[in-house]
Amino acid sequence: MEPLASLTALSDLRMSVYSNGDATLTLQLSELRALSNLQVLHLTKQHAYFPEQRRMAESSIAVPLSADVAAGLAAGCRKLSALRLCLGGSDVTAEGLAGLSQFGSLRSLSVNAEPFRSPPQPVALNLLHLPKGLTELDLRNIDITTPPAALLAAAAAAPGRRADAGSIIVTDSGCAAAEQQPSGLAFAADAGSCSAAVEDVHADQTMQQPAVGTLPLPRAQDEAAAVLGQLACLKLESCRLRSRQLEALTMALPRLQQLKLCHVSGLCDEGVVALSRLTGLVELSVVAPHNKALTQRSLAALAPLRGLRYLTWQTDDLTALGPVVASYQHFTSLRLLKLSCTPAALQHACGAKGKEGFRQLMPYCNLNLTC
């Protein structure tokens, strides 16, 4: 990294690194702190081919992202607005991800903790520990541990929160009551205390939560809203997100326009129904193969998404039986629809005309089939 650090006028740095040597090399990202003009940093750790073992595997190179590394990079690269890190799961630590909050100018963040080794161990991340003011967030192989109560607190203080997203009342003691919550997500405030029923889909994962659902103080609520309130694009792939977290998260994203949920563990029909609050969505992608808890039935509840123009949907019932056309017809602004089914499955669901019959029912929408 030292030669690159001498290029002090550099504003855009994108690189891929790999090594198939016997000894492990270590790259220190903090050595780039001399690049005070850097605005874009993309770093990808690639697979490497090991001829003696005749296989592709994790490169024998380490790019540790620790709290100290994040702090050093943030202190030097104050103009950084876009950061993309595709590293190994062993390189990324929860403390390092939390340290990214020190970047004051960051607007686009992408983190992939690639699980080169088996079994995969996703890195834990509290979304409220991310940098303030982000507009784009792309996470892969991350275990999201943000308590639903904290997400509701962020929603209560979020500027521009839509009135139809449910009513949240924040008391002087820092507690909140939420009304009009789907699937029974409700918080009650009583005499300066609040309680929450939090369902953890993964029993082996314990989320760090305040005592008995207590929400942050108003100042902390404002800071939490500053993290999520500006997000316009959110992409989650191979992440862990509990159903109750998703329900609360939809209330903290008033400006979201693009959402991608791909191979997300914890998705179910009841949780996806909460997406109906995101009435500003223009693009939605849900890819959930081998997930029996998610079906096309949840699409019926997403009718409020009147501005949706691009929809990608992949579930097992769609692949096996074809589309339930009535589930898609209420998306009147839809212009591109990608479905995970074969022409034969489409014909089975829509009759002999198949794709042509589907187009007659939705004449302004282009249909793409992905198998």
Side-chain angles (χ1 to χ4, degrees), residues 252-333:
L253 301 172
R255 301 178 186 272
L256 198 66
Q257 298 180 10
Q258 182 180 359
L259 176 63
K260 177 181 179 181
L261 302 173
C262 181
H263 300 280
V264 173
S265 176
L267 283 185
C268 62
D269 285 338
E270 291 76 11
V272 170
V273 165
L275 300 182
S276 61
R277 293 195 188 98
L278 303 174
T279 54
L281 272 187
V282 175
E283 181 174 351
L284 173 63
S285 178
V286 177
V287 178
H290 315 303
N291 183 351
K292 303 299 183 183
L294 184 60
T295 67
Q296 296 176 88
R297 291 194 297 269
S298 57
L299 285 167
L302 302 185
L305 305 183
R306 299 297 185 184
L308 196 65
R309 297 179 63 87
Y310 308 98
L311 174 62
T312 299
W313 193 267
Q314 180 178 346
T315 52
D316 284 356
D317 68 316
L318 170 60
T319 303
L321 304 176
V324 179
V325 180
S327 297
Y328 303 90
Q329 284 185 289
H330 51 254
F331 298 120
T332 55
S333 298

Side-chain angles (χ1 to χ4, degrees), residues 354-368:
K355 195 171 184 178
E356 183 60 33
F358 192 95
R359 285 176 175 170
Q360 290 178 1
L361 296 173
M362 301 182 67
Y364 299 105
C365 178
N366 293 319
L367 176 63
N368 289 348

